[in-house]
Amino acid sequence: MIHLRRHSLALFVGGLLVTVYSCTQPPASSNNSTSSQSQLEGTDILFRIGDEEVSREEFQYVFEKNSINREEDNLRAELDEYMELYVNFKLKVLEAEDKGYPERPSFQREFGQYRDQLADTYLTDHEATDKLKEEAYSRLKEEVKASHILIQVGENAPPQDTLVAYNKIVELRNRIVDGGENFEAVAREASEDPSAANNGGSLGYFSALQMVYPFENAAFNTTVGEVSQPLRTRFGYHILSVDDRRPSAGKIQVAHIMIRATEGMPEEQLTAAKAKIDDIAERLDNGENWFELCRQFSDDVRTKSRGGVLPPFGSGEMIIEFEEAAFALENQGDISTPVQTAYGWHIIRLEERQGLKPFAEMETELEERISRDSRSQITQKAFIARLQKENQLEENQEALDQALAMADSSLLMGQWVIPAEAEQSNTELFSLGGGEQTYTLSDFLQYVSTKQGRSPYRDPAQYMQALYERYREDGLMEYEKDHLADKYEDYRYLVKEYRDGILLFQLMDETIWSKAVADTSGLKEYFENHRDQYQWEERATATILSAMNAEVLEEAIELVQEGKYPTQVIDRDVSFSGPVRMVSDNQRLILNEAITLLVNDPTATAELDVQMRGEDSLGYASVTSYFTERGIDEDRVSVRFGKSRQQNGTLILSVFSERSKAMEGFFNQEAPLALVSKEGLYEQDKEAILNEVPWEVGEHQVTWDNRSYYVWIKNIQPGAQKELSEVRGAVISDYQDYLEKEWLGDLRKKFPVTVNEEARKAVYQAYDLD
């Protein structure tokens, strides 16, 4: 996508926004680089660059798409400026082509990836997908409670096996519907779902996108109290009984404390587990802390450290006993009595209830879930059926029959060999585009030889037929991909924009951006020739404090006046036993935190107050060596020893800095924005608070923007020229603009630009401009 902005050309290339600055003024027409002549007849071609013509249609398409916020009162000027920028853009692309950039492997690789990604968005049936999204969302408003009976049969089973399974399920349905037998009893007796013997085929409540699509359809299309007709999924044949419908309960998030108690554990352990969960429940009733009890006692190691919180879930997504108990909780913070599941005992606490989001908020999620769901096969089949019609598929059944006849048992083992007489067969198998693209029997047999593997089918001809359908689908998709530009204007222009954008990026990087950074002598010369553009206004050396209230500010001001700033490591007390050189884990955490501060701030110093028992033999080096071994100079660490009357000694550590910024860590431990501190050299207009106090040396306090401020202006320096080291980034940017302007002038000489004024007038007329 190409975005043209005032004085810039912005390219959206595969998710990467690149802004390429153009010259702020077009080259003068006296250069004879641009001519406005009537050499171009008609109004279809807007301008010619070298030998390349750019249509009025292309220009208007790009302008329309990328000028959403255009100024209607100044539209003619915007069109002229946009055209100038677009000409510059095309000049650069033409230069890239002239230099052979499209033949570079790096370009072909990157462009190929972008083109394939873009094509994928066109190679699907959006209408079918939209209908499935709407259907799924509608169904998510309800929950169905159903039971089922399954007779297993493989997806690729031969017809005779499929018929046997179908007759079995029909017989079971007849026993229930006509014979009056109980569905649950028949499920326990005859269902081939392993869980049916225990649950009678019950699936509990579920909603859309939780079952395979054919099963979901049957559940939502069967009346409560009735038994569905037989339906087939990848698992086999089913019948289902719909027991209830209810509005969706949405999703909930709960936390739980679990005590493991599973089948097969000794009886005494099961009894102990029940006693333990009852004790936890009683302690919760008495007001003990949920998080502490969960951390100490829960057997769910994945959640105990975060309070037992589980991901949100809806109906049908948890084991039934747990789900029913969870959804029975009404208010946030409600806690259940102990609940038993196959995993053990649980106490459940309600964290949050979540209703169904609006369709607009769920649309992307629904599309992603549908793409992973079995219903995605429907959209694919619909798309392939559409392509067969649009791309004029013509099949040769006689040739296909020849291929099917060549299949033998070796194909099922992935060891099939093309018969010698068929290797060079040019017999047409099918064609696309009215014969534009043909696929021969030999082509297909080569495909079979490459793609064959151990087959899920039992019949070789059935496997050969499946491979043919895959081959035909691949052919249709490849043909469609090759003709997307003919069918879709958006695709045609986007591919061109991707291509040109990548060329432009690579060319600009080598010609302008990297050159400007690497050309140190040229950069310095440019800076020296334009020094007057880089000037400092008056600047103040200042310390600025911003506090949440006056009390915090006053405490911080006292520290500023002392010039010694505490950090977040202040008066940290860690007990120890034994020599200090035997550093404990707790000591190591605090010492390492102090070392980090000392490494990052060369003005920081550490102060340690060590109180030891009489029998401890401690030396100065035993403490300081921990710092010096980690690169901290000994003179930045001071240690004071004393006697401790306690059983264990203590180590009190503080780190101070000469930088006021450091005290943020001290003040912000409880309130993250209690204090903000900065110090440096500031221009008045570049630091807002400096406009709220007198611009003079001294200390100033003011309340502004709901904060308490202290500003200490230590001195004011007069305006001066900036040095290159101070403005290097800005100079590089300006130098790049300069190089680009010079370069564009050369390109206009190399590739003369001719504008069709009649076509320009037609552009104006398209926007009702005289």
Side-chain angles (χ1 to χ4, degrees), residues 318-388:
M318 281 284 188
I319 49 178
I320 292 177
E321 301 89 350
F322 188 96
E323 182 181 296
E324 290 178 348
F327 274 97
L329 299 172
E330 296 181 357
N331 302 309
Q332 187 176 13
D334 284 356
I335 296 175
S336 74
T337 57
V339 179
Q340 188 175 21
T341 71
Y343 299 99
W345 290 96
H346 311 258
I347 298 174
I348 306 169
R349 186 176 78 165
L350 180 60
E351 301 293 314
E352 181 186 15
R353 283 190 176 273
Q354 302 174 356
L356 187 65
K357 297 176 185 176
F359 179 80
E361 292 182 23
M362 289 194 66
E363 188 170 8
T364 300
E365 176 190 345
L366 287 171
E367 188 160 346
E368 290 174 354
R369 293 179 68 181
I370 285 170
S371 70
R372 300 190 301 266
D373 184 73
S374 57
R375 71 193 73 202
S376 63
Q377 298 171 5
I378 293 175
T379 60
Q380 183 68 3
K381 287 179 180 178
F383 184 62
I384 292 300
R386 197 187 87 196
L387 293 187
Q388 290 178 0

Side-chain angles (χ1 to χ4, degrees), residues 23 69 97 125 159 169 276 494 520 571 602 742:
C23 55
N69 299 319
E97 292 173 341
D125 192 319
I169 203 74
K276 192 172 182 180
L494 282 171
T520 54
D571 292 338
E742 295 294 308

Side-chain angles (χ1 to χ4, degrees), residues 162-177:
T162 300
L163 181 61
V164 170
Y166 178 77
N167 288 336
K168 280 185 182 180
I169 203 74
V170 168
E171 180 185 350
L172 295 176
R173 185 178 186 277
N174 290 339
R175 285 171 57 183
I176 297 165
V177 175

Side-chain angles (χ1 to χ4, degrees), residues 557-585:
I557 291 172
E558 290 181 12
L559 293 172
V560 169
Q561 292 169 346
E562 291 177 12
K564 183 178 180 180
Y565 303 104
T567 67
Q568 67 264 34
V569 177
I570 197 76
D571 292 338
R572 301 289 288 273
D573 186 352
V574 177
S575 298
F576 65 88
S577 61
V580 176
R581 64 178 178 273
M582 304 297 290
V583 180
S584 69
D585 289 341

